[in-house]
Amino acid sequence: MSNVPTITLNNGVTMPQLGFGVWQVPDDEAASAVTAALESGYRSIDTAAIYKNEEGVGRALAATDVPRDELFITTKLWNAEQGYDTTLRAFDASLAKLGLDQVDLYLIHWPMPGVDKYEDTWRAFEKIYADGRSRAIGVSNFQPTHLNRLIEQGGTVPALNQIELHPSLQQPVPRAFHADHNIATEAWSPLGQGGDLLKEPRLTEIAGRHGKTVAQVVLRWHLQLGNVVIPKSVTPSRIRENIDVFDFELSAEDMASVAELNTDTRLGEHPDTNNWQG
Ligand code: NAD
């Protein structure tokens, strides 16, 4: 069994707090990466239609001995498919590629406010949920204004919002909004995509004191804040390193020190202006 703690979503479904992300993993490498993750104890996998590796992920799921009910599989609706009927069709296609008859979490990938179809899209998500084909439904890259519009529809409150979140972009306003509305916060690019963040002197000092790597300290910081994290790597030693974060704890001083690293620096698109459907 995996030693990763779970969080309970607003519909009672539990989800591992640490999972494995597969953005930019080519389809023909996805099966071996996911297999390495499963062997290292990961049980949650985060993919998306636009990653074009749902089939590779599906091959690893078909081959593993891990029972389906111990796995937590997330995929996402791509922007070009927003709208009620298109969403239902896109969901069927994702399930077929994954080789599953149900996912654990289905997310709207981006709100695309300039296109303004996410309310209709959400109604299709509610049908998928009502039909038992996704155990939970949520969103990604939604700002509080976008979430408010879904909440005002009066139906299902998203279980989770997956947003860019790391020590250089700590997202205090969305995190507080999520906490107020019982929406789980999931961090994408939790390691800042492995860039300069992992060379930050303050993090290096904390890591040295704990006998851990900077990546492990950053993941631990997320976990202690209550964030769900989905670090990505295709390197087996790093895949193992990124889940080996449950044998140490950052002090209140360490947490306060990391809090000071926020510079509101985004690596990805801004959700208010991204309407890309490519
Ligand atoms: P990440 O922050 O997980 O960083 C991954 C990179 O960091 C790796 O490619 C590698 O270069 C490096 N790395 C990983 N482990 C390391 C270690 N232990 N030591 C040193 N370097 C290490 O970045 P990500 O892949 O952008 O984000 C994680 C996941 O989040 C994605 O795979 C995807 O599933 C999801 N995501 C979602 C969205 C969205 O719009 N919803 C956008 C981006 C990513």
Side-chain angles (χ1 to χ4, degrees):
M1 285 295 287
S2 160
N3 64 350
V4 175
T6 55
I7 62 148
T8 302
L9 300 174
N10 62 15
N11 66 349
V13 165
T14 57
M15 168 179 194
Q17 203 187 349
L18 185 145
F20 185 64
V22 295
W23 180 42
Q24 293 177 321
V25 180
D27 194 57
D28 60 356
E29 291 175 35
S32 62
V34 169
T35 299
L38 295 173
E39 286 171 1
S40 304
Y42 295 76
R43 293 293 177 264
S44 169
I45 310 294
D46 181 84
T47 184
I50 193 63
Y51 301 169
K52 306 215 181 301
N53 58 19
E54 288 170 312
E55 286 175 308
V57 170
R59 282 193 289 277
L61 301 181
T64 183
D65 291 337
V66 178
R68 175 66 185 94
D69 64 2
E70 289 180 22
L71 297 168
F72 192 98
I73 309 303
T74 301
T75 193
K76 312 183 194 86
L77 174 82
W78 182 237
N79 297 348
E81 314 295 344
Q82 280 212 31
Y84 190 88
D85 293 331
T86 42
T87 294
L88 296 180
R89 281 200 293 274
F91 181 71
D92 287 345
S94 282
L95 274 191
K97 285 182 177 162
L98 287 162
L100 300 176
D101 51 22
Q102 181 191 54
V103 292
D104 297 281
L105 181 62
Y106 195 41
L107 304 179
I108 303 180
H109 208 141
W110 289 87
M112 293 203 305
V115 174
D116 200 18
K117 286 190 192 166
Y118 61 83
E119 288 176 274
D120 271 355
T121 303
W122 189 245
R123 288 189 195 97
F125 270 58
E126 289 177 313
K127 169 154 177 59
I128 288 164
Y129 178 60
D131 290 347
R133 301 173 81 211
S134 186
R135 294 175 65 229
I137 50 175
V139 295
S140 178
N141 299 302
F142 273 48
Q143 300 275 64
T145 47
H146 311 134
L147 286 167
N148 261 329
R149 270 179 67 190
L150 294 188
I151 291 167
E152 282 162 13
Q153 284 189 181
T156 310
V157 175
L160 173 149
N161 188 14
Q162 182 183 118
I163 56 173
E164 181 179 347
L165 174 48
H166 41 74
S168 308
L169 181 71
Q170 298 194 11
Q171 303 267 33
V173 173
R175 288 184 51 245
F177 183 94
H178 299 163
D180 282 349
H181 292 84
N182 200 9
I183 297 168
T185 300
E186 182 169 47
W188 65 252
S189 296
L191 299 173
Q193 298 180 1
D196 288 347
L197 180 70
L198 299 188
K199 299 189 202 106
E200 162 62 43
R202 190 181 289 217
L203 296 175
T204 307
E205 185 275 322
I206 296 172
R209 225 172 341 97
H210 287 279
K212 289 285 180 177
T213 67
V214 172
Q216 289 171 321
V217 166
V218 171
L219 293 171
R220 190 69 215 177
W221 169 81
H222 282 286
L223 295 167
Q224 288 183 215
L225 285 181
N227 301 337
V228 179
V229 283
I230 43 171
K232 171 256 176 184
S233 175
V234 290
T235 309
S237 60
R238 285 178 170 174
I239 292 173
R240 287 192 295 276
E241 177 184 327
N242 292 344
I243 198 175
D244 182 18
V245 291
F246 299 104
D247 61 351
F248 77 113
E249 195 164 349
L250 299 178
S251 66
E253 292 76 23
D254 293 336
M255 293 295 287
S257 179
V258 181
E260 289 174 4
L261 295 176
N262 186 32
T263 52
D264 288 336
T265 305
R266 273 181 202 279
L267 300 168
E269 298 295 325
H270 196 294
D272 284 337
T273 52
N274 182 29
N275 297 296
W276 186 61
Q277 299 182 55

